[in-house]
Amino acid sequence: MDGKLYIDGQWVDSSNGDTLTKYNPVTGEVIGKFAAASRDDVDRAFDAAEDAFQKWMDLGSVERSKIIYKAKELIEENRKELENIIIQENGKPVKEAAEEVDGVLDQMQYYAEWARKLNGEVVEGTTNHRKIFQYKVPYGTVVALTPWNFPAGMVARKLAPALLTGNTVILKPSSDTPGSAEWIVKKFIQAGVPKGALNYITGRGSVIGDYIVEHKKVALITMTGSTSTGQRIMQKASANMAKLMLELGGKAPFMVWKDADINNALKTLLWAKYWNAGQSCIAAERLYVHEDIYDTFINKFVELSKKIVVGDPSRADMGPLINTTALKGTEEVVEEAKESGARILYGGSKPDLSGPYKNGYFFLPTIIDNVDQKSKIFQEEIFAPVIGARKVSDVEEMYSLANDSKYGLASYLFTKDPNLIFEAAERIRFGELYINMPGPEASQGYHTGFRLTGQAGEGSRYGILEYLKIKNIYVDYSGKPLQINTVRDDLFQ
Ligand SMILES: NC(=O)C1=CN([C@@H]2O[C@H](COP(=O)(O)OP(=O)(O)OC[C@H]3O[C@@H](n4cnc5c(N)ncnc54)[C@H](OP(=O)(O)O)[C@@H]3O)[C@@H](O)[C@H]2O)C=CC1
Ligand SMILES: O=C(O)[C@H](O)CO
């Protein structure tokens, strides 16, 4: 990581020389420093994005897609470098880092394929010689704010569609993971994105974030992160009525009915809970199991969770939490659960690791039983390898508990009953329901949520259309004198 900003085609330090420090979550050691952008840097990035817009839009989607395909090729050729950065700055185990890069490539391919397929419509006007041309046009300058949990995947998911559709971009990644974003930006530049069309700035959201999202030149803000930050962005963005795409918190219910294929359900739960150490917006956060199979299912889940290997990324099944704040927050939630009478069936603390991993931000897989539906464990996004469990006895109870959440992104159901499958599809109020299968969301699916999970969505035709506005051009080509009822014709005689 060079730790510089990329503004108007130049790699530069922050104009006031300020920097931030990045730590390795596996060892707690310093990885390096990176620039903390000033307001002046932000202004210059917006000016550059605005200046580059017309030319970038005029290039056309086919030429823009060639650049995205090229960037994809460059990422693929050098993918090990990106995997290593993800491992170092996020702490992901080797296999998860490789999987994330697969996802990056898939998204680049998917979005590039949309070139020349995003056409507007010609609509009939009030007479046969009048038409309304509904153009699909880019918004202008897109601000992309990305999180640390998928530090490369989220960057690709925002850059590729924003650029393909002809918008110019200012990317600001999480201060916990600037390295992956910087590396990907370099590949886009190498692939031919012209100066100003893509700008990259770093700096603490709490310091520079308001200034960015309130900026008078922002047209669209796409952000993935916490609901509280999303709400703040929404307030601030109202200053300029920027279009918002906000992918925020989740609290996925994982429902296991009495007729479920237990092994498939357990395998999926191991993934849905421990993938990225529970730090994903689609992570299983609440386990509702039918009473007839509850004890068997939970006991097996505890036994399997004990076998999850943490520590050395080259052999671990699960990595650490992202930083000390996340670790402390998780410890507090578990303590609170204990005090409220819940039972810790397994985990509940840091693992006992030695050597370089001793100071890493690891937390054991943690399963908590006897959890009250109204408790923090069942209501707040925990974002850690911690899950609360509860018995259910009938379907109404299951739907009502599952839907009882302020978040509404992903949900899971395991059953062999076709009636239950179709009924759940109607009754579950979540943007995604995974039935008898694991996630994550596909590039061709629309990743969106109900309630406090946010606004708009990403992926699929619906997601890419979020980056385009509809402009209406009304034309009369009859060549005849106009008849306007409220304007007297005799004025023209
Ligand atoms: N839905 C999801 O996938 C994610 C959910 N989360 C949830 O959020 C919690 C906290 O994580 P955290 O990293 O603090 O998430 P944030 O929501 O604070 O950060 C997400 C992104 O927004 C930026 N940001 C922060 N504050 C502002 C602001 N005022 N204006 C503009 N941009 C801002 C961040 O930059 P910076 O890093 O510099 O603050 C980062 O790039 C997690 O524990 C988890 O519960 C987090 C990440 C992803
Ligand atoms: O935000 C997330 O956590 C990703 O979309 C993975 O599902």
Side-chain angles (χ1 to χ4, degrees), residues 173-435:
S174 162
S175 300
D176 278 305
T177 52
S180 311
E182 181 194 288
W183 190 92
I184 293 175
V185 165
K186 284 181 176 159
K187 296 299 172 248
F188 272 89
I189 297 164
Q190 207 183 331
V193 175
K195 106 182 160 78
L198 171 58
N199 302 276
Y200 167 75
I201 57 176
T202 46
R204 282 229 178 284
S206 53
V207 176
I208 199 72
D210 286 356
Y211 190 71
I212 300 172
V213 300
E214 275 181 331
H215 204 282
K216 62 180 185 302
K217 294 192 175 179
V218 65
L220 184 156
I221 300 166
T222 170
M223 178 265 192
T224 301
S226 59
T227 291
S228 55
T229 301
Q231 286 170 322
R232 186 178 178 94
I233 290 174
M234 206 165 176
Q235 280 169 3
K236 301 286 169 189
S238 68
N240 297 296
M241 288 291 166
K243 150 107 186 217
L244 295 176
M245 296 171 66
L246 300 172
E247 198 249 282
L248 310 172
K251 190 75 192 163
F254 194 100
M255 299 167 276
V256 189
W257 196 240
K258 57 188 166 190
D259 62 353
D261 179 319
I262 301 282
N263 277 347
N264 278 349
L266 283 166
K267 203 180 233 185
T268 302
L269 182 57
L270 286 178
W271 170 83
K273 185 64 267 181
Y274 303 131
W275 187 48
N276 207 15
Q279 303 169 110
S280 93
C281 56
I282 60 166
E285 291 238 340
R286 301 177 285 149
L287 182 53
Y288 299 118
V289 183
H290 192 275
E291 58 188 3
D292 291 0
I293 57 162
Y294 185 85
D295 289 341
T296 316
F297 188 87
I298 294 288
N299 288 339
K300 282 190 178 166
F301 182 47
V302 168
E303 285 320 305
L304 291 164
S305 298
K306 286 181 182 167
K307 295 183 182 148
I308 296 289
V309 177
V310 290
D312 178 357
S314 67
R315 44 180 294 275
D317 296 313
M318 187 175 88
L321 297 175
I322 190 66
N323 53 32
T324 46
T325 313
L327 184 59
K328 202 162 154 273
T330 307
E331 284 167 343
E332 280 168 10
V333 167
V334 172
E335 272 320 301
E336 239 177 80
K338 276 190 209 161
E339 281 161 23
S340 74
R343 267 187 313 161
I344 312 291
L345 299 180
Y346 179 62
S349 61
K350 270 172 78 56
D352 195 11
L353 297 172
S354 56
Y357 311 113
K358 203 163 152 258
N359 297 323
Y361 314 141
F362 294 95
F363 202 80
L364 278 174
T366 299
I367 302 154
I368 308 181
D369 189 16
N370 205 19
V371 179
D372 184 77
Q373 175 68 14
K374 294 291 166 216
S375 69
K376 222 172 184 177
I377 289 283
F378 268 169
Q379 294 295 331
E380 299 301 327
E381 186 179 43
I382 309 295
F383 234 56
V386 174
I387 194 165
R390 201 189 144 130
K391 281 180 194 166
V392 288
S393 42
D394 63 61
V395 279
E396 285 307 322
E397 184 190 18
M398 183 170 78
Y399 298 141
S400 132
L401 291 172
N403 285 333
D404 173 29
S405 173
K406 59 187 173 188
Y407 300 112
L409 186 57
S411 54
Y412 301 83
L413 171 65
F414 278 77
T415 178
K416 291 189 190 119
D417 179 350
N419 293 332
L420 182 55
I421 287 177
F422 285 103
E423 193 187 40
E426 295 288 336
R427 300 287 300 277
I428 289 297
R429 306 276 299 157
F430 286 77
E432 283 162 9
L433 173 60
Y434 295 93
I435 300 173

Side-chain angles (χ1 to χ4, degrees), residues 65 68-69 72-73 76 102-115 156 160 164 443:
S65 78
I68 296 170
Y69 281 123
K72 177 194 170 223
E73 205 180 298
E76 198 157 19
D102 288 341
V104 167
L105 299 172
D106 179 65
Q107 295 184 87
M108 303 276 285
Q109 172 80 29
Y110 179 76
Y111 288 113
E113 283 170 0
W114 277 101
L164 187 270
S443 298

Side-chain angles (χ1 to χ4, degrees), residues 56 64 68 71 75 107-108 111-112 142-146 152-172 180-189 193 197-200 222 458 464 467:
W56 181 239
R64 291 194 296 268
I68 296 170
I75 293 171
Q107 295 184 87
M108 303 276 285
Y111 288 113
V142 167
V143 163
L145 302 163
T146 53
M154 295 297 145
V155 168
R157 173 143 111 192
K158 296 190 192 300
L159 290 192
L163 290 170
L164 187 270
T165 45
N167 296 280
T168 53
V169 180
I170 298 175
L171 167 68
K172 194 211 86 64
S180 311
E182 181 194 288
W183 190 92
I184 293 175
V185 165
K186 284 181 176 159
K187 296 299 172 248
F188 272 89
I189 297 164
V193 175
L198 171 58
N199 302 276
Y200 167 75
T222 170
E458 298 184 283
I464 196 161
Y467 288 93

